[in-house]
Amino acid sequence: MSEIDRRQLLKNIAIMTGGALSASVVSGVMSGAFAQERIDVDNPVFSDAELNLVAEMADMIIPDTDTPGAKAAKVHQYIHAIVGDWYYDDERATFMKGLHAVDSGFMNGSASERHAIMTKLDNEEAEEGKTFFQTFKELTLVGYFSSQIGAEQELRYEQYPGPYEGCVPFEKVGRTWAT
């Protein structure tokens, strides 16, 4: 992905999340941290149970539909890399505190119980800055749409675009462009 593509990706995700992205996420993406087949985490911070929790929560935000969801795109591995390798210590501590505060019944809960827990997290208000769940959703969206699945299957990607057409009905293209 070229520098221009990364900037456009960050701009599009900032629009989707309704605001600015954190400096750590921007730094990670600009340095090449994407959800991909293999992600090496130099400073692993999640236990296996925490990584499974992150995978399940991300998959509830972007489930499988006619395209693969967050789990298939390895978004949980991306979040692990960003939190472990790119977050500052205070950001990492805040994220881990939020992750540990997720209801302990989430992993064993039914789909409706999980939905209720996620809805409760989504309705929390931040005392200052972003809530844990707002940060989690931001990481999920950046990880998903920077992955090969997100860019090529959810969004449209054409490496060599044809002639420029300034005004095309959305129905003609069917999906948002990745680049």
Side-chain angles (χ1 to χ4, degrees), residues 125-136:
E125 303 234 354
E127 293 175 15
E128 182 179 324
K130 295 179 179 178
T131 65
F132 162 75
F133 198 65
Q134 288 169 329
T135 301
F136 190 87

Side-chain angles (χ1 to χ4, degrees), residues 1-13 21 26-34 142 146 178-179:
M1 186 175 283
S2 72
E3 285 291 317
I4 293 172
D5 294 337
R6 289 180 192 169
R7 289 189 180 137
Q8 186 63 42
L9 169 74
L10 292 171
K11 180 180 169 189
N12 290 346
I13 292 172
L21 299 173
V26 172
S27 177
V29 170
M30 295 304 285
S31 299
F34 298 109
V142 172
S146 65
T179 56

Side-chain angles (χ1 to χ4, degrees), residues 58-116:
D59 210 50
M60 285 191 68
I61 293 171
I62 304 178
D64 291 340
T65 56
D66 59 330
T67 57
K71 198 183 294 184
K74 308 248 185 248
V75 169
H76 55 294
Q77 295 288 349
Y78 166 80
I79 293 172
H80 195 192
I82 291 291
V83 173
D85 295 346
W86 291 96
Y87 266 20
Y88 293 108
D89 290 341
D90 59 328
E91 291 175 309
R92 184 178 306 115
T94 300
F95 186 90
M96 296 305 290
K97 181 179 174 187
L99 187 63
H100 293 152
V102 173
D103 191 307
S104 59
F106 183 87
M107 289 303 286
N108 296 324
S110 66
S112 63
E113 291 168 333
R114 286 181 174 196
H115 185 268

